[in-house]
Amino acid sequence: QALSYWCIFHRNKAKQVVETWDQQFHCSPRDKRVSFLYLANDILQNSRRTGLEFINEFWKVLPDALTDVFDNGGDFGRKTALRLVN
């Protein structure tokens, strides 16, 4: 949770934060990628009242990340991806 608040505090760097998130997501082992989705979800949920910076940036990378976890994350990944989308 501290990491998401740090990201939100630095929302003026949202583009760089999300680019780094995306790079690290794709470099991480498949079993760790759900954690990245939880981090993105936390940032998105908690930054909504402060501005659209993160929504605009995550919109560019989350569809691919969710598809990756849905397709390759087994039953747990599928359920997690569906729950986060809903």
Side-chain angles (χ1 to χ4, degrees):
Q1 190 175 13
L3 180 55
S4 67
Y5 283 109
W6 182 89
C7 292
I8 294 166
F9 180 79
H10 295 283
R11 67 183 171 275
N12 61 327
K13 302 284 188 192
K15 181 176 175 56
Q16 292 157 306
V17 169
V18 174
E19 286 173 354
T20 302
W21 180 95
D22 190 48
Q23 290 170 342
Q24 294 303 308
F25 174 87
H26 289 290
C27 291
S28 68
R30 295 220 182 268
D31 63 329
K32 303 292 182 197
R33 292 183 180 183
V34 168
S35 298
F36 281 89
L37 293 181
Y38 283 135
L39 174 61
N41 183 58
D42 198 53
I43 292 170
L44 288 167
Q45 294 296 324
N46 290 306
S47 69
R48 287 185 301 184
R49 2 186 156 79
T50 60
L52 300 176
E53 298 91 348
F54 283 104
I55 293 170
N56 292 336
E57 294 302 324
F58 270 118
W59 180 253
K60 300 172 187 175
V61 299
L62 268 181
D64 181 51
L66 285 163
T67 300
D68 180 272
V69 171
F70 185 85
D71 291 344
N72 304 306
D75 192 46
F76 176 71
R78 269 188 295 286
K79 288 178 181 176
T80 301
L82 287 172
R83 190 173 72 248
L84 289 172
V85 168
N86 289 332

